[in-house]
Amino acid sequence: MEFRVLGPVGVWNRGAEVPLDGAKQRTVLAALLLSGGRALPDSRLCELLWGEHPPATYPAQIYNYVSRLRKYLGPDVDIRRQWSGYMIHPGDGRLDLAEFERLATLGREAQENHRYEEAADAFHAALALWRGPALMNVTEFLARAETHRLAEMRMAVLERRVETDLLLGRYAQLVPELTRLVGEYPLHEKLRCQLMTALFRTERQADALAVYHEGRRVLAEELGVEPGPTLAATFRAILTAEPARTGGPSVVASSWHAVRPAMLPPAIGDFTGRAAELSALAEVLTGDHACAAQVTGMAGIGKTALALFAAHRDRDRFPDGQLYADLGGNRGNAVEPQEVLGWFLRSLGNAEPSIPRGLDERVRLYRSHLAGRRMLVVLDDAADDAQVRPLLPGEAGCRVLVTSRVSLSDLPGAAVVEVGTLGTAEAVDLLAAVVGKRRVANEPAAARRIVRLCGWLSLGIRVAGSRLVARPHWSLAYFAERLADEQYRLDELRLGTLDVRARLDGSYLALASQSQLALRRLALLEVPHFASWATAAVLGVPRRTGDEVTENLVDARMLEVTGTDGGRRQRHRFHDLVRVFAREKADHVDRMAVAASRVLTTAN
């Protein structure tokens, strides 16, 4: 069975097309295929099907679309319900996008190892899989979310394929194709450089220079900018007839300006543990299977420290530089992608007047700068997928690390690194790294008690250690006694800008009011964990609504899933510091409501 999204969305089985009902059913199929093997929430499917105005019956309609897909695709394709969404396992089915990415990777490896014939064959085969613009027959909402990304992927491979054909001396064959492409993409400077090179190599120097002057005019009229460094360098090389015409295939040398951005903040010197998570990030930064990784986990768990440590450890693999931005996603001041692109473009050597104002123009200029380069981009504290997508490079040689408290489901192909609390040994090692090994060795039991009262949370342990450093006359046992009082625990875990309560408050304020109410009331339950129906009970709402609120709290990393109750329903618990925080927020009405719900005696 063959699944196609690079053109009209469809399914082919043994050479015959499988009939599908229409655009919305094809949208569901394409969205599941593009989710990279992860569950796609109902809420996201709803957005891709109906935008901001879904029908009241959208859950039933999604269920019907999925049911009919199961019928049409047969038992070999597994579409299953997971949490509050769906995921697809195509079995032995072949997705044209996956094959495109595989061939592109083979071509890139062959090109980098100077096996140009092999590289050209792989790139040509990859591009032959496209049967027109991607996702031609889906809803406008899915097309708007995905087609630009897919088009950028195709353009990156097309650029490499043309570059390889130039290296093989196929100048005459390339001139008509590149002339058409430059007409279609007049602002794309790399294609224009490649056309100029092909024209020069076919003894058409005047035509090559004319292509440059036309490009300069278009850039000035459309964007108000001068040609970039690569286009300008190509013009100078042709003007002075510097490119060699004999001695084997070569192209006009590109010129990367002297700016090498190095924007990474300093790594934490006393970083401790996280061997498994570091290994997963190393696979992304040094391997070929994924170009991006999202590092997720609750507030204060150590996502940023982990990402920066991994970035510094492998930064030598990115000789063209490292870009970094704090996106402010969970502090109520999320930065617009357009502003971040302005920071990046200035760091890449663009003068302020030359930076376009529009988001799309900035994205194109940014990706043009990164084309053919090996750069690392670290995006810290992302709010959602929409904030991240414009900041992704279009070049497979670059790598991206994204940290976020929420799972970014719309970043296909990104590896997910879930960061949990530290183990006791790692937590004690971190405390020792902050306060000193001798001080911890003198009071090992008190050290273990401190990390337990901090909930094995990296930020809590770091704050606790910093307070002990600031008060060398305190014993660890004395500080553990101070932490033991829940009423003042979060006060103890605050020192300057390091503040556990403030980090949790950012996650709390991002919740809807009903989820905030549920969090406060669930925290009042005197049980270690509780069944999924407890949310409905404390809110006084139908069980289905309660389940949805519970899932929202799990997605926001304010609740943890501990398992099931023996049936289909899950059980949940609080991280200790989240429970302390939520109880602080609870008022008299919350306490009365929980008492009235009788959950206190039945939830466990």
Side-chain angles (χ1 to χ4, degrees):
M1 189 169 288
E2 181 182 359
F3 298 91
R4 298 179 179 178
V5 296
L6 303 180
V9 174
V11 183
W12 292 72
N13 192 7
R14 296 182 176 87
E17 185 172 8
V18 176
L20 299 176
D21 290 338
K24 285 191 168 58
Q25 190 173 79
R26 293 174 191 271
T27 296
V28 172
L29 174 62
L32 293 177
L33 291 170
L34 292 171
S35 67
R38 296 188 297 274
L40 195 63
D42 289 349
S43 57
R44 181 59 179 161
L45 274 173
C46 179
E47 291 175 12
L48 298 175
L49 287 165
W50 294 285
E52 296 180 357
H53 304 288
T57 59
Y58 81 84
Q61 293 195 42
I62 291 176
Y63 175 83
N64 288 335
Y65 292 138
V66 172
S67 295
R68 294 180 71 84
L69 271 179
R70 288 183 178 131
K71 174 183 176 183
Y72 292 148
L73 300 180
D76 292 337
V77 178
D78 181 17
I79 303 178
R80 66 179 61 174
R81 182 75 172 167
Q82 185 166 352
W83 310 125
S84 57
Y86 292 93
M87 64 187 303
I88 188 169
H89 292 283
D92 295 331
R94 172 178 174 269
L95 175 62
D96 57 358
L97 176 59
E99 179 67 7
F100 170 80
E101 292 176 324
R102 185 187 70 83
L103 290 168
T105 299
L106 291 176
R108 184 175 65 254
E109 291 174 349
Q111 186 191 52
E112 292 171 353
N113 288 285
H114 310 293
R115 303 193 307 270
Y116 298 126
E117 291 281 0
E118 182 183 335
D121 290 344
F123 289 139
H124 279 276
L127 293 167
L129 294 170
W130 288 72
R131 294 159 290 108
L135 306 173
M136 290 177 61
N137 52 354
V138 300
T139 64
E140 61 178 301
F141 311 109
L142 176 59
R144 188 185 307 143
E146 291 288 349
T147 52
H148 185 72
R149 177 182 70 87
L150 296 174
E152 289 289 342
M153 291 173 57
R154 180 181 182 277
M155 181 59 72
V157 173
L158 177 62
E159 289 172 0
R160 280 188 175 267
R161 195 227 80 202
V162 172
E163 180 181 332
T164 305
D165 285 342
L166 285 171
L167 288 165
L168 291 169
R170 299 169 180 172
Y171 312 124
Q173 301 97 308
L174 284 170
V175 167
E177 178 188 11
L178 285 169
T179 301
R180 175 182 59 80
L181 288 170
V182 168
E184 188 175 351
Y185 303 101
L187 299 177
H188 198 296
E189 295 189 40
K190 187 167 184 178
L191 290 176
R192 193 172 291 273
C193 289
Q194 291 171 330
L195 175 56
M196 291 166 63
T197 300
L199 287 167
F200 179 83
R201 294 301 169 76
T202 54
E203 308 294 334
R204 296 171 61 180
Q205 183 178 14
D207 290 338
L209 295 176
V211 169
Y212 169 79
H213 288 298
E214 174 62 17
R216 183 178 184 182
R217 181 190 63 79
V218 171
L219 287 168
E221 291 181 356
E222 296 291 330
L223 302 179
V225 300
E226 286 294 307
T230 301
L231 185 55
T234 305
F235 169 69
R236 289 192 298 270
I238 291 174
L239 191 64
T240 57
E242 289 178 358
R245 303 188 188 207
T246 59
S250 61
V251 295
V252 176
S254 64
S255 173
W256 176 247
H257 50 71
V259 175
R260 294 293 189 275
M263 299 174 65
L264 294 178
I268 294 176
D270 53 13
F271 184 86
T272 303
R274 303 293 191 193
E277 293 88 344
L278 285 171
S279 176
L281 291 180
E283 289 186 16
V284 174
L285 296 178
T286 64
D288 294 321
H289 299 296
C291 293
Q294 50 171 306
V295 182
T296 66
M298 68 173 286
I301 205 74
K303 302 179 293 296
T304 299
L306 171 65
L308 289 178
F309 186 85
H312 278 281
R313 186 185 61 176
D314 291 321
R315 66 180 176 180
D316 290 344
R317 294 180 176 271
F318 303 94
D320 293 314
Q322 307 89 41
L323 299 172
Y324 170 87
D326 182 348
L327 303 183
N330 287 284
R331 298 193 302 276
N333 58 343
V335 185
E336 291 295 327
Q338 188 168 343
E339 185 176 354
V340 178
L341 286 169
W343 302 343
F344 285 175
L345 290 170
R346 283 187 286 273
S347 297
L348 291 167
N350 293 271
E352 188 68 38
S354 69
I355 298 176
R357 294 186 177 182
L359 174 61
D360 289 344
E361 290 81 3
R362 289 190 176 192
V363 170
R364 284 194 287 269
L365 181 58
Y366 166 65
R367 289 175 178 163
S368 296
H369 271 298
L370 269 56
R373 308 296 164 191
R374 288 194 62 82
M375 295 192 73
L376 174 62
V377 182
V378 180
L379 304 173
D380 191 21
D381 197 15
D384 53 34
D385 306 273
Q387 189 187 29
V388 171
R389 281 195 301 271
L391 307 177
L392 299 178
E395 178 59 46
C398 297
R399 294 292 185 269
V400 182
L401 299 181
V402 185
T403 73
S404 179
R405 297 180 196 177
V406 298
S407 179
L408 305 177
S409 59
D410 199 20
L411 296 181
V416 178
V417 179
E418 187 77 31
V419 184
T421 53
L422 294 166
T424 299
E426 285 186 337
V428 171
D429 286 345
L430 176 57
L431 184 65
V434 179
V435 305
K437 293 182 179 180
R438 178 176 297 180
R439 201 168 171 187
V440 167
N442 289 337
E443 297 183 82
R448 289 192 295 273
R449 188 183 183 198
I450 287 172
V451 300
R452 177 176 59 80
L453 291 170
C454 291
W456 301 275
L457 188 72
S458 294
L459 177 62
I461 296 167
R462 193 169 294 282
V463 178
S466 298
R467 294 204 69 194
L468 286 166
V469 169
R471 292 164 176 80
H473 54 283
W474 282 7
S475 69
L476 270 63
Y478 171 72
F479 185 58
E481 285 300 321
R482 292 175 68 100
L483 283 175
D485 190 340
E486 283 193 3
Q487 185 177 355
Y488 300 105
R489 187 175 302 171
L490 295 182
D491 292 328
E492 297 292 340
L493 296 179
R494 178 177 61 193
L495 184 66
T497 59
L498 297 176
D499 188 340
V500 172
R501 181 187 285 112
R503 298 288 183 90
L504 295 175
D505 200 46
S507 296
Y508 176 78
L509 294 174
L511 295 171
S513 58
Q514 191 176 42
S515 296
Q516 292 179 352
L517 181 63
L519 185 78
R520 299 195 305 267
R521 293 183 177 180
L522 289 169
L524 297 173
L525 302 180
E526 297 292 346
V527 290
H529 47 78
F530 48 86
S532 58
W533 50 261
T535 305
V538 298
L539 290 177
V541 297
R543 182 168 293 183
R544 186 180 184 86
T545 302
D547 288 347
E548 200 65 34
V549 172
T550 304
E551 289 298 326
N552 290 338
L553 292 173
V554 172
D555 291 342
R557 302 300 197 275
M558 300 299 274
L559 275 185
E560 301 172 358
V561 178
T562 63
T564 65
D565 58 5
R568 297 177 59 187
R569 297 195 175 275
Q570 301 165 352
R571 297 189 69 82
H572 301 83
R573 69 181 176 195
F574 281 97
H575 182 278
D576 287 348
L577 296 183
V578 176
R579 177 174 50 78
V580 172
F581 168 83
R583 285 184 172 182
E584 282 187 355
K585 293 285 186 180
D587 57 22
H588 178 70
V589 175
D590 293 325
R591 299 177 190 278
M592 293 295 292
V594 170
S597 69
R598 300 180 183 273
V599 175
L600 285 168
T601 58
T602 61
N604 199 34

